[in-house]
């Protein structure tokens, strides 16, 4: 299936979870936030949140502030 990761098209296996995407990218999980179709997905749901063809994924550095 094809998704868009930070505005770049990317191929991913069918029924992949967010955690599978991170493994495929070799990306550490510390300090990042992920939004799928403009909705933040909590880190506790990364193992179970499935991605689907056409999804738009934004991965960005999480920062604290106020």
């Amino acid at each position: 299936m094809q998704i868009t990761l930070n505005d770049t098209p990317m191929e991913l296996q069918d029924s992949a979870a967010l955690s599978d995407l991170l493994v495929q990218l070799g990306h550490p999980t510390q300090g990042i936030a992920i939004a799928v179709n403009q909705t933040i997905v909590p880190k506790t749901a990364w193992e179970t949140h499935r991605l689907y063809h056409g999804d738009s994924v934004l991965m960005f550095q999480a920062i604290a502030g106020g």
Side-chain angles (χ1 to χ4, degrees):
M1 77 174 149
Q2 187 171 34
I3 64 166
T4 304
L5 174 63
N6 294 345
D7 297 324
T8 302
M10 172 178 193
E11 286 293 323
L12 194 61
Q13 68 184 14
D14 288 342
S15 299
L18 279 176
S19 58
D20 298 325
L21 173 62
L22 293 173
V23 168
Q24 181 174 330
L25 295 172
H27 200 288
T29 60
Q30 296 289 51
I32 63 168
I34 300 175
V36 177
N37 301 324
Q38 300 182 351
T39 301
I40 295 290
V41 179
K43 190 172 186 174
T44 56
W46 290 0
E47 291 284 330
T48 57
H49 187 96
R50 296 285 168 211
L51 295 170
Y52 298 97
H53 181 79
D55 277 352
S56 176
V57 180
L58 293 175
M59 188 181 318
F60 48 94
Q61 190 70 33
I63 56 173

